[in-house]
Amino acid sequence: MAIKDKKLKMMTLDQLKDRDIGEVGTPERDQYEFELKMEVLGNMIKSVRKERHLTQEQLGQLIGVQKSQISKLERNTKNVTIETILKVFNALKANVKFSVQLDQSDLNIA
Amino acid sequence: MAIKDKKLKMMTLDQLKDRDIGEVGTPERDQYEFELKMEVLGNMIKSVRKERHLTQEQLGQLIGVQKSQISKLERNTKNVTIETILKVFNALKANVKFSVQLDQSDLNIA
DNA sequence: TAAAAAGTTGATTTATATGGAAACTATTTG
DNA sequence: CAAATAGTTTCCATATAAATCAACTTTTTA
């Protein structure tokens, strides 16, 4: 039987990442994972802003910055301070939760 | 009856904060809430480090900084970048979860 | 399909987070 | 209690996040 002989190769997404980007813990992989998170963060600002039916200019006015700054936070996001994140999501009336998971227990900030 | 006449005054912690620090949305209150969060973050680094039985020096070596830098993150914390937070908790093998709560739905980063 | 509105990008400035070095103050331990 | 270890603080340099302005591109709408 074909299916028996074929020795199907299956891979999880993590296995693919390990192979193509690098193992967890290597600088390349850490870099990748970080950039991914920053991208998600940027997209999140954008989607919440849209949810609130605000333009970048309007959101900028709420926190006292130019629309170009908002654009950068949504797209160019390399690294951000917590303060900036909180300022933005505060203005968007969204609640930011930040938690640290340590084996069993969950410690919560904010 | 004493208890009936006395008109007991009760206050929630939030009411106290509103009165003594300022209403939510005022610069004073926002500042206060932010500093509180930073303090909690610092304490969290410290407690997770202790959990792992590491000295500041050892944690520093894991991420390539001096012990004084760790001390600052644990105590003097005014503001931090996401990158720094992730670097530290990564080294402590703790999982950082960051989520944005928008009315009903929860959007998750990381 | 123009004009207006919204969003992006690049060059630049300013503010500040990150970091080291060293001297100091606890805290621990033999 | 003295020495060693751990943690803090101050002064300082450097890297970079935050922000503006202006010119540009993309999208929307009258």
Side-chain angles (χ1 to χ4, degrees):
Chain A
M1 263 152 219
I3 197 143
K4 202 174 157 192
D5 298 342
K6 201 171 239 185
K7 200 208 275 183
L8 334 160
K9 286 193 202 152
M10 303 236 332
M11 284 192 125
T12 64
L13 179 55
D14 281 340
Q15 287 174 324
L16 268 172
K17 289 204 269 186
D18 286 352
R19 200 192 59 182
D20 295 337
I21 297 149
E23 301 277 339
V24 176
T26 61
E28 297 77 23
R29 177 62 175 275
D30 288 353
Q31 172 90 352
Y32 169 83
E33 296 290 348
F34 178 67
E35 281 169 6
L36 194 62
K37 281 170 191 170
M38 287 305 95
E39 204 176 313
V40 172
L41 175 63
N43 291 339
M44 198 166 313
I45 295 174
K46 182 169 186 170
S47 75
V48 177
R49 174 175 63 79
K50 293 275 185 193
E51 196 89 20
R52 301 307 195 202
H53 303 292
L54 294 170
T55 65
Q56 293 183 340
E57 184 142 45
Q58 289 170 323
L59 175 55
Q61 279 164 347
L62 285 177
I63 59 180
V65 301
Q66 296 299 117
K67 62 180 179 171
S68 60
Q69 181 61 8
I70 304 296
S71 174
K72 282 168 192 168
L73 292 173
E74 287 180 0
R75 313 191 86 255
N76 284 8
T77 336
K78 306 173 277 282
N79 192 7
V80 223
T81 62
I82 298 235
E83 192 172 31
T84 300
I85 295 176
L86 292 175
K87 236 193 306 184
V88 170
F89 285 112
N90 251 339
L92 291 170
K93 304 212 178 303
N95 204 23
V96 176
K97 290 230 158 153
F98 181 78
S99 70
V100 176
Q101 207 168 15
L102 176 61
D103 294 322
Q104 267 75 332
S105 56
D106 272 22
L107 315 173
N108 286 294
I109 305 177
Chain B
M1 265 150 216
I3 196 139
K4 202 173 156 194
D5 298 342
K6 200 171 241 180
K7 199 208 277 184
L8 331 161
K9 286 193 203 150
M10 304 235 336
M11 282 194 125
T12 64
L13 179 54
D14 280 340
Q15 287 174 324
L16 268 173
K17 290 204 269 186
D18 286 352
R19 200 193 58 181
D20 295 337
I21 297 149
E23 300 277 340
V24 176
T26 61
E28 298 76 23
R29 177 62 175 275
D30 288 354
Q31 172 90 354
Y32 170 83
E33 296 290 349
F34 177 67
E35 281 168 7
L36 194 62
K37 280 170 191 171
M38 288 303 95
E39 205 176 312
V40 172
L41 176 63
N43 291 338
M44 198 167 312
I45 295 174
K46 181 169 186 171
S47 75
V48 177
R49 174 174 64 79
K50 294 274 186 194
E51 195 90 19
R52 300 309 194 199
H53 303 291
L54 294 170
T55 65
Q56 293 183 340
E57 185 142 45
Q58 291 170 323
L59 175 55
Q61 278 164 348
L62 286 176
I63 58 180
V65 300
Q66 296 300 114
K67 62 181 179 167
S68 61
Q69 182 60 11
I70 303 297
S71 174
K72 283 169 195 169
L73 292 173
E74 288 181 1
R75 314 191 85 256
N76 283 9
T77 336
K78 305 173 276 283
N79 193 8
V80 226
T81 62
I82 298 235
E83 192 172 30
T84 299
I85 296 177
L86 292 176
K87 236 193 307 182
V88 170
F89 285 111
N90 251 339
L92 291 170
K93 303 211 179 304
N95 205 23
V96 175
K97 291 231 157 154
F98 181 77
S99 71
V100 176
Q101 209 169 15
L102 177 61
D103 293 323
Q104 266 78 329
S105 56
D106 272 22
L107 315 173
N108 285 294
I109 305 177

